[in-house]
Amino acid sequence: MLSETVHLDGHIIDSGTLSKVLDLILLHGGDYEITSFQIGTTREAASHAEIVVRAGTEVVLQQILQELGQHGANPVAHDAEWTAAPADGVFPSEFYSTTNLESYVRHNGQWLPIEQIEMDCGVTLVERADGPHALTMPVHRIRKDDQVLVHETAVKVVVAPRKDPVSVFGFMSSEVSAERPKELSVAAVAEGMIVTRREGKKVLFVGGPAIIHTGAGKYLEALIAGGWIDVLFAGNALATHDIEAALLGTSLGVKLSTGVPMATGHNHHLRAINAIRAAGSIRAAVLDGVLTTGVMHACVTHGVDFVLAGSIRDDGPLPDVITNTVTAQDEMRARVPGVGLAIMVATTLHSVATGNLLPATVRIICVDNNTDTITKLMDRGTRQAFGLVTDCQFFLKELAARLEGRSAT
Amino acid sequence: MLSETVHLDGHIIDSGTLSKVLDLILLHGGDYEITSFQIGTTREAASHAEIVVRAGTEVVLQQILQELGQHGANPVAHDAEWTAAPADGVFPSEFYSTTNLESYVRHNGQWLPIEQIEMDCGVTLVERADGPHALTMPVHRIRKDDQVLVHETAVKVVVAPRKDPVSVFGFMSSEVSAERPKELSVAAVAEGMIVTRREGKKVLFVGGPAIIHTGAGKYLEALIAGGWIDVLFAGNALATHDIEAALLGTSLGVKLSTGVPMATGHNHHLRAINAIRAAGSIRAAVLDGVLTTGVMHACVTHGVDFVLAGSIRDDGPLPDVITNTVTAQDEMRARVPGVGLAIMVATTLHSVATGNLLPATVRIICVDNNTDTITKLMDRGTRQAFGLVTDCQFFLKELAARLEGRSAT
Amino acid sequence: MLSETVHLDGHIIDSGTLSKVLDLILLHGGDYEITSFQIGTTREAASHAEIVVRAGTEVVLQQILQELGQHGANPVAHDAEWTAAPADGVFPSEFYSTTNLESYVRHNGQWLPIEQIEMDCGVTLVERADGPHALTMPVHRIRKDDQVLVHETAVKVVVAPRKDPVSVFGFMSSEVSAERPKELSVAAVAEGMIVTRREGKKVLFVGGPAIIHTGAGKYLEALIAGGWIDVLFAGNALATHDIEAALLGTSLGVKLSTGVPMATGHNHHLRAINAIRAAGSIRAAVLDGVLTTGVMHACVTHGVDFVLAGSIRDDGPLPDVITNTVTAQDEMRARVPGVGLAIMVATTLHSVATGNLLPATVRIICVDNNTDTITKLMDRGTRQAFGLVTDCQFFLKELAARLEGRSAT
Amino acid sequence: MLSETVHLDGHIIDSGTLSKVLDLILLHGGDYEITSFQIGTTREAASHAEIVVRAGTEVVLQQILQELGQHGANPVAHDAEWTAAPADGVFPSEFYSTTNLESYVRHNGQWLPIEQIEMDCGVTLVERADGPHALTMPVHRIRKDDQVLVHETAVKVVVAPRKDPVSVFGFMSSEVSAERPKELSVAAVAEGMIVTRREGKKVLFVGGPAIIHTGAGKYLEALIAGGWIDVLFAGNALATHDIEAALLGTSLGVKLSTGVPMATGHNHHLRAINAIRAAGSIRAAVLDGVLTTGVMHACVTHGVDFVLAGSIRDDGPLPDVITNTVTAQDEMRARVPGVGLAIMVATTLHSVATGNLLPATVRIICVDNNTDTITKLMDRGTRQAFGLVTDCQFFLKELAARLEGRSAT
């Protein structure tokens, strides 16, 4: 029986971390003994545990230790090992794969923060004038001979932040259920936006085309005009149907003022795309006076930064759409620093894609009328998300009403 | 090859009936020839078709003819056959089973209307002072030796009413989709309620407990207080959580004013039930001053008739709940005559149960955040329903806002 | 600041109980200090915590203590108080409301087990020849002057059993997700049935009519014939469509051998019901040779006990259906003792109703193609359920294949 | 009142086309008179209608006529008008937008077929040695001065093919419902594959990663090895998790042989991607002996053509993934000719994207455990799809079993 001692610090009881760590040891075929335990006796105080992990083989033991490291349970640290990347876009085979939790790597006896942390990336070491930096690095950006972190033993992960039951979103259960008072949840989101702004952080909005189809575009437009949104991530569809509504009064060919499908309305979205292609860009269409209202118009006139990421479902697409998906990710990634709150509405694709890029410290509200979208987001590692099962129409109308007259700065 | 000629009259093109009838002949192994056809040349004019139906055997031919009869395609009529019921609660084996479409039976050379039509029942012949009556009869109510209609050949069914594209609900597609402008649909429901009242008909509301859990009880209460609802069908759960909210401020133990689960809140619903059991009934609790607010309180104080039907999921139940399901159906059935519009919100069980009892001429709006509920309702024969995929909270808030200040009479 | 000391024992770390208890104190407005803590240092060893709970008012403190008691954190015990029921079917107002966890009540200085525990009931004290008994009592069964337990302070609840990650179902996450290897889950259910039988316990099957519509009736029939099921809970619909399939070869009028809707098939279910009504009962129809195959036939011929509970959706119903919902619950309740495993397939209504009656120690597998059914079951307190998101057809086919040739005894 | 006469030919009764055309006239504010009608008196015979359309203004009349043209109701034809494209990637503003129905354009007094028809494209005129060709052209491919078809009056659309009730898929209702016998539907798909091959057409398979997560990869692999699939459309996720399974035995980190999450398994997919990036491509990894099993391995060794289209959700991605979404569409588009049957399993994104590219004559089976995917596909114009609501695991297992031992050629 081989063994190794790991340490675990922080709010390990109320975050459920200790319970999870012990489960993982058993689940992966090991056993444990808790050799020391100091419990944080009050709400604010941290706890400390020392756990002897045992396993039958060295391989199993190392795997368990690596797994525990992902939850903040670390053996005594050694300095990290770094290996040169064998080729452009390829990690060395033993590369360390990041989580979205705040992390540190041991280098020259000190803990370097891993910068702009994001899940499913590697870590490279860069020497700069101010000393060494450990950078989060997606695999497509690695270059031959970059120094890449290998193995997990020299990494320290900070325990997942708990979902504080007395915080602004505290009452929104992490369990996803449609049977909750909805107006209160929207009020909490409004409050969260105000708090985020007060903290000097950015609000990111991620949206799908159902916002336009259901007639809620005007509420999103009002939020943008009110200065509540710093960055918009969306796809060709949201922008296209918004512009279709602005130019032709329809969305998916359905007249928004009557709900009646219009004659030849099914090709309206293509006419809208063609009009913007003719103008050269959304911004050019606004400046030319072609586009005079709607969500995208509001982004341009209120200086809200947006990324329209392409998908194979797109017609056209609009000239502003970034058709290369890796480039689109990089553009989204570049806008993540400074984001304090992400609101994701009615889009599985863009929600999961954005969730992939956000550190665990960014608060996320995911709104969908289908619980599956929210489950999928969490299944893919974005566990900090709060789910709100409701119509995007209702959500945006309520949110806009609650923020009306409040100051966004 | 055996054949029989059937006739088909009415809006058989624009309702899709002719297309359906021809499909059914092929589907069930027959073939056809259209021997005469006069098309209604304008929107108002009816069409007429004469179709020779052919099949290889007499059995197949008769089955096809019976099926066609359900869609209004009938051979030349003979007088109906009536057979005595063999025992209480049992039909003769060849009984005619009703649809929910307006129907007539041939008796003494005349077409008797089948009264209070409802799907999946039998038909009995009763002689009264004013002559013979053909009554729709659920199987549990039949008594030994009642005269029960057998075979289908003497029944004439009026072609299903089309969903008129220019009516008040016309723009609401019969296809169920979440991607439609929602506020317009709610506006149409409001308009439909006003029109129903103007026609001197009743509005029936069928609701589930999510109305209370999501905090929408106050909007339903406002509709009742405003005089917009004539009859309420619900179960123990809606009434219990409404009363829990009225007595203890919670629903499913979650405080409605804050969204936070209350200490020991999970037993609040049982305390609410017990309080009403102690009072004797909901009405008694209102009169005693125990129950002073909420949906059920509004029903009592505004004289709105309600049926609370029991289910095996119920705790308690409340003393007003009809625990016998057949009795509950009969109570619901007794309130169907005069209903012009049924609004079904957030309940599969009660929606399907009510749909079973309504003739096809009653307009139905079914609101649920899950398309499956609406699909199920239609799969079970209630094809006249319009589906609206949205939150009950949003729906009721919008509906109450739109009807505020309008006169209910 | 008022305070009280509670004790918490057992697997309070790995079950997450300690974490939950601390959260609840904060959530309900209190604060805490952990004054003593002995951690169970190995997998088998229990832990012990002593927690001082503080709150600003006596009311808040008492509410927190009551809530904590539901999770096994109890102050030093006093003897219980019992109060006479004020009327038939009514509890005294301060009645103790049960959870589905193993519980004890302090009486004459000793811990009496609360017998046949079930959520949302009261507790009565009965003196028998062998001494006092504390019985779980649904409100409708209480009689005037029965001695009913009031307040929570004298009740001890055993900490919720953890979902052991190395048990037979351990790998089935308590989180509900459709993205899991399905065949393995079915294999685990088969193994669970074998283990349950080996432990001398009963297997309860709860099923909905989709089993028949999707063509899976033959697999359920095989399980019954193989001796794998001890009790069946279902409704009128499952039995009716099963009998429709046996008598007429269709389900909901769709021919099961071809998938094609049959001419006049939509009234087949009513003909099936009428045939059984004519025979008098399902058993009589089997004995008379009217019913010769199917699920219900298998129940009769293999002596499997069944309860068919009525609902307001029912046509007919079959003579075996218990139309009084409270009586139906009592019949279901009477079959709970001895059940070790409950398998719930494709029915929200019957699953939630059965979940209400089962103690937390009965293992539950809930199979549905809709995650909402499983979420609803857990939301209503049946937290021990494992969810399997899949088709009932697939589940039953796989399960029958895996158990074929295995011995059921 | 302005008027114009249109003609409508074909199976306009049983396809529902006539009914739809009359509805559209009313819906868009016009009126009609049927001035001549010859009904096809037998199953095989076509019908003919002459309809006078009336509207209050010229604009409304033209819109109605354009809409009717999309359903095959055309006024007497004139030669088409063609206008030069104003710039690369931009249509002239009055461009004709295609449907996915077989279409012809009037040119020099003759009907030219519009080649490789696809919805939401333009049409260009090209002169070749063998004469003029009308080509379907996506907007991004248009070049300045290309001759682009404008207005709709010179286009003839062939009436939508009806869903024949006696064809191989005939019994699969166009209505989406989970409550149907599932094994029969799978049998029909197997039969459809055999028929497609017999007709000398290709089978296209479109799949999502849930195929791998649920453990169904081996069945898809068997279909490919058996020669049943000609082309595979998928994304990075399906290929990645398949390769993860091949290299590491897990999918999303869950061990497929046990269902248990593996230690550090959550980074397995990234290790799989990195291994293929190191090899250079999937094909290279197969040739190098790195990749020796799985779906992608089977594609390489059995010469099955595949397109892996990128999305912003992707990690990595694999080197074979086409990261430019417009290029990916073009690669998919290039493989459409010759496809007779498309089977879409467990992916909304790729199903809708593929549906966009297929002419209405390609039969489509869409399999998903969520009805919403199927609804979305149809809402976006792919109306010929048959939906099958079931688990991909079940579907593929059954399908592979049914085709085992059958000859794929």
Side-chain angles (χ1 to χ4, degrees), chain A residues 171 178-184 213-214 218-219 254 256-260 369 389-391 393-394 397-398, chain B residues 171 178-184 213-214 218-219 256-260 369 389-391 393-394 397-398:
Chain A
F171 75 91
E179 295 179 329
R180 294 278 178 274
K182 306 282 168 97
E183 288 172 314
L184 294 167
H213 303 327
T214 59
K218 60 190 169 205
Y219 304 118
V254 173
L256 288 170
S257 62
T258 63
V260 179
N369 61 0
V389 184
T390 193
D391 247 47
Q393 219 278 357
F394 171 59
K397 183 172 186 177
E398 280 287 315
Chain B
F171 76 92
E179 297 180 328
R180 294 279 179 275
K182 309 281 168 96
E183 287 171 314
L184 294 167
H213 303 327
T214 59
K218 59 190 168 204
Y219 303 117
L256 288 170
S257 61
T258 64
V260 179
N369 60 359
V389 183
T390 194
D391 246 48
Q393 219 278 356
F394 171 60
K397 183 173 184 176
E398 280 286 316

